[in-house]
Amino acid sequence: MSYNVVVMYVVAAVLGIAGVVLLLRLRGNLSERQVYAYRMIGIMAASAGIVLAMSATAMWRWSMAI
């Protein structure tokens, strides 16, 4: 596994964890603005982590095929 793929996986994990933490914060008592911001940023961060992990997996598989 190359250094680039490892970095992509680390960034994907950080984004995914940050997104999940923000979404879990929605269970608390928040204002409407906070709910909107946490929901939007949490979903975007979690989905960015998922897409980046898929891209890292594709890059890793592609580099193994050569």
Side-chain angles (χ1 to χ4, degrees):
M1 189 179 304
S2 69
Y3 178 72
N4 296 337
V5 174
V6 172
V7 169
M8 287 176 72
Y9 277 126
V10 169
V11 172
V14 169
L15 285 172
I17 291 170
V20 169
V21 166
L22 286 173
L23 291 173
L24 288 175
R25 297 260 335 245
L26 290 172
R27 295 195 290 168
N29 190 9
L30 303 171
S31 70
E32 284 186 39
R33 292 179 180 181
Q34 288 175 323
V35 168
Y36 178 77
Y38 287 3
R39 186 180 296 149
M40 290 299 294
I41 296 169
I43 289 172
M44 284 191 267
S47 60
I50 291 168
V51 170
L52 190 58
M54 289 189 304
S55 297
T57 302
M59 181 185 282
W60 181 32
R61 288 183 181 176
W62 179 75
S63 68
M64 296 292 285
I66 295 177

